[in-house]
Coordinates of all heavy atoms in Angstrom, one line a residue:
K93 N 5.9 6.9 -16.6 CA 5.1 6.2 -17.5 C 3.8 7.0 -17.9 O 2.7 6.6 -17.9 CB 4.7 4.8 -17.0 CG 5.9 3.9 -16.9 CD 5.4 2.5 -16.6 CE 6.6 1.6 -16.3 NZ 7.6 1.5 -17.3
E113 N -7.1 16.6 -30.5 CA -6.4 16.2 -31.7 C -5.0 15.7 -31.5 O -4.6 14.7 -32.1 CB -6.4 17.4 -32.7 CG -5.9 17.1 -34.0 CD -5.9 18.3 -35.0 OE1 -6.5 19.4 -34.6 OE2 -5.3 18.2 -36.1
K121 N -4.9 7.3 -33.5 CA -6.3 7.1 -33.9 C -6.7 8.3 -34.8 O -6.3 9.3 -34.8 CB -7.2 7.1 -32.6 CG -6.8 5.9 -31.8 CD -7.7 5.8 -30.5 CE -7.3 4.6 -29.7 NZ -7.9 4.5 -28.5

Side-chain angles (χ1 to χ4, degrees):
K93 298 188 183 308
E113 183 178 349
K121 297 180 180 177

